[in-house]
Amino acid sequence: MDRIKIVGGGKLTGTIPISGAKNAALPLLIASLLTADRLTLKNVPNLADVNLLVRILRNHGVDLAVDGKRADGASHLGETFHLTARDIVDTTAPYEMVSRMRASFWVLGPLIARMRQAKVSLPGGCAIGTRPVDLHLQGLKALGAEIDIDRGYVLAKAPKGLRGARIIFPKVSVGATHNVLLAAALAKGETVIENAAREPEVGDVADCLVKMGVRIDGIGTSTLRIQGKDRLEGAVHTVLPDRIEAGTFAMAVAATGGDVLLQGARGIDLTTALEALRQTGTDVTEVEGGLRIVRNGNGLLPISIETQPFPGFPTDLQAQLMALMTRAQGTSVIRETIFENRFMHVQELARLGADIQLHGDTATIKGVKALQGAPVMATDLRASVSLVIAALTADGETTINRVYHLDRGFERLEEKLSRCGANIERISAS
Ligand code: UD1
């Protein structure tokens, strides 16, 4: 298994190109199941999760062609995928695959909508809490799907096809919104989703569906009105920039000090996180072509935040903010309201010398003068990148084990950081 070795202490200076958003690319790839025509996606990030989903989609019969290699220096533009689901040959998504990536469960809605039947494994356990799928099933049942659970699989059918309905989600769920939105695109009549997730990635999927011929009102709001169509057309769509990657690098710069342009990052997708960074004393400015993050000399101020659905502070940046606050001049409080058990990074940050107390859903972080490098273990995607941030500021050498978690969601992380002066290196398992 690969490891990452970091020697901390240096500032970050330069430009970091932001990749296409993993959390938009995944549902956009799944949207290819909705049409027999070609869906072209540009700016697809090269990530382990994307590759795994492609394998799952190929199983269903999706044909993929990827545009040739780009010229040097343009690799940050991501890849262009041409996906064609002319015939869906298999409506089963097996446990071996779905259990490895939760988002693959979202094939359920499109498969029932197009094929009127699907058998999709329940996603199973997950490092950051139980993460049920009741809301997904509630939404799809409202659209007319008959659903049984049998031996770990969701068996769904809709012999007469799905029909539009009004769905009020009792809780905001990104995945359930995607699943129902994708299904509603091929349902008969109007579907209204109330309390829909407003994450920019949901808006990106809705924009793509509009290009495929679906009428959707309320994109970007918590009420989505979808006029389903019998048949969707192909389209060309560019995946939006990854706000979580951008926020992560912004926090890394705040932690180490320095001056970095996050090329392609959009402030509008990160308002609350950027506001939090400003409160720490970091300069954040929207400039042409991206976001500029500067921190020179001044100490970090402590802050208190709680995670919330968009536009609140994203849970996917909680671990990174905690890493940053380990070095603040005072005590910070972070409350995690989205996922139980999303504090696995705390133990590992403590190994580097952080002072963090946990009480239920709340972490109290007392800033320390210095962190010390040590061997640590990546536990999940966002937790592992928080260790990278901490290691960049720690004295001496840190080795991060199990970096396959990082490869799931961060494209060329070492390269992007080392180009800005970080002493970071991947040690490949022989
Ligand atoms: C997505 C993101 C993930 C992010 C999360 C919250 C992708 C690929 N993943 O995950 O990075 O951390 O949104 O922003 O986009 N819930 C239920 N019942 C359900 C579904 C969810 O109770 O049927 C709960 C979850 O346990 C959690 C909360 O709702 O407490 C939010 O989860 P959800 O928004 O669905 O997260 P994901 O879509 O899995």
Side-chain angles (χ1 to χ4, degrees):
M1 267 185 276
D2 288 4
R3 288 173 293 152
I4 283 183
K5 189 179 97 182
I6 295 173
V7 181
K11 290 188 172 193
L12 293 171
T13 312
T15 298
I16 300 182
I18 299 304
S19 298
K22 170 181 87 76
N23 285 359
L26 299 177
L28 286 167
L29 289 164
I30 291 174
S32 67
L33 291 169
L34 293 169
T35 175
D37 295 345
R38 184 157 89 170
L39 176 65
T40 295
L41 297 177
K42 297 182 177 178
N43 200 29
V44 178
N46 187 356
L47 298 170
D49 271 10
V50 167
N51 296 334
L52 179 59
L53 182 60
V54 163
R55 279 178 51 203
I56 295 172
L57 293 175
R58 281 199 163 122
N59 242 16
H60 293 306
V62 177
D63 181 66
L64 168 71
V66 181
D67 270 0
K69 255 188 134 196
R70 290 177 184 281
D72 273 359
S75 55
H76 68 276
L77 294 176
E79 291 179 309
T80 297
F81 279 21
H82 304 283
L83 302 125
T84 314
R86 189 158 295 117
D87 300 300
I88 307 267
V89 293
D90 191 343
T91 53
T92 300
Y95 174 72
E96 302 76 65
M97 289 185 171
V98 182
S99 59
R100 291 173 60 190
M101 187 186 41
R102 190 179 156 83
S104 53
F105 184 73
W106 307 346
V107 299
L108 180 63
L111 285 176
I112 317 169
R114 181 151 165 211
M115 304 303 292
R116 302 185 170 195
Q117 59 168 24
K119 178 179 174 187
V120 176
S121 169
L122 289 164
C126 170
I128 57 171
T130 47
R131 297 179 91 174
V133 291
D134 54 321
L135 301 174
H136 299 240
L137 302 185
Q138 175 203 330
L140 294 171
K141 277 183 190 162
L143 296 180
E146 295 162 26
I147 291 182
D148 284 314
I149 310 280
D150 184 37
R151 280 167 272 192
Y153 277 81
V154 175
L155 309 178
K157 55 181 188 215
K160 293 186 188 140
L162 298 178
R163 45 178 165 63
R166 181 155 178 257
I167 292 149
I168 307 173
F169 282 127
K171 180 173 186 178
V172 178
S173 160
V174 172
T177 304
H178 280 309
N179 222 335
V180 172
L181 171 64
L182 291 165
L186 277 181
K188 204 183 252 323
E190 181 181 82
T191 297
V192 180
I193 309 179
E194 307 261 18
N195 203 20
R198 284 182 282 165
E199 270 64 5
E201 294 76 22
V202 173
D204 206 34
V205 171
D207 286 341
C208 179
L209 291 174
V210 169
K211 290 178 192 162
M212 293 167 81
V214 187
R215 179 164 170 207
I216 305 177
D217 293 318
I219 296 175
T221 74
S222 53
T223 304
L224 294 171
R225 283 178 188 279
I226 305 128
Q227 313 293 334
K229 287 282 267 289
D230 291 347
R231 196 185 160 277
L232 302 192
E233 296 149 21
V236 178
H237 185 79
T238 303
V239 179
L240 91 173
D242 197 317
R243 65 194 165 100
I244 302 302
E245 188 197 23
T248 299
F249 287 126
M251 289 187 199
V253 179
T256 60
D259 183 346
V260 169
L261 172 71
L262 303 175
Q263 195 182 4
R266 307 193 314 193
I268 185 109
D269 298 336
L270 273 168
T271 351
T272 314
L274 297 182
E275 192 42 47
L277 271 182
R278 290 190 180 103
Q279 284 172 24
T280 71
T282 307
D283 289 331
V284 179
T285 22
E286 294 200 39
V287 294
E288 207 186 317
L291 289 171
R292 187 172 166 208
I293 314 294
V294 181
R295 189 172 77 80
N296 279 325
N298 52 332
L300 286 165
L301 300 172
I303 54 171
S304 291
I305 60 112
E306 59 177 43
T307 59
Q308 287 294 339
F310 191 85
F313 189 92
T315 172
D316 285 350
L317 287 174
Q318 180 257 104
Q320 297 89 316
L321 181 72
M322 193 178 300
L324 177 62
M325 289 297 95
T326 61
R327 299 291 312 281
Q329 295 170 338
T331 301
S332 306
V333 178
I334 298 181
R335 185 167 166 247
E336 172 58 58
T337 73
I338 309 285
F339 293 111
E340 79 243 42
N341 198 22
R342 199 176 207 181
F343 281 131
M344 309 225 295
H345 41 286
V346 169
Q347 294 295 336
E348 302 300 310
L349 289 171
R351 288 181 53 76
L352 300 175
D355 181 349
I356 305 170
Q357 300 295 323
L358 268 185
H359 293 287
D361 63 3
T362 302
T364 305
I365 308 114
K366 281 197 191 135
V368 293
K369 286 226 159 52
L371 299 176
Q372 291 83 39
V376 287
M377 190 93 81
T379 48
D380 73 38
L381 172 57
R382 312 303 178 186
S384 32
V385 86
S386 79
L387 299 175
V388 172
I389 294 176
L392 287 171
T393 71
D395 297 335
E397 184 180 307
T398 298
T399 320
I400 304 176
N401 294 290
R402 299 200 182 164
V403 295
Y404 55 83
H405 288 292
L406 275 177
D407 297 335
R408 287 188 41 217
F410 287 91
E411 193 178 30
R412 295 181 294 117
L413 179 90
E414 316 90 87
E415 185 192 319
K416 289 185 184 189
L417 284 171
S418 64
R419 280 195 181 175
C420 289
N423 187 340
I424 176 169
E425 157 186 24
R426 178 179 290 252
I427 305 165
S428 295
S430 46

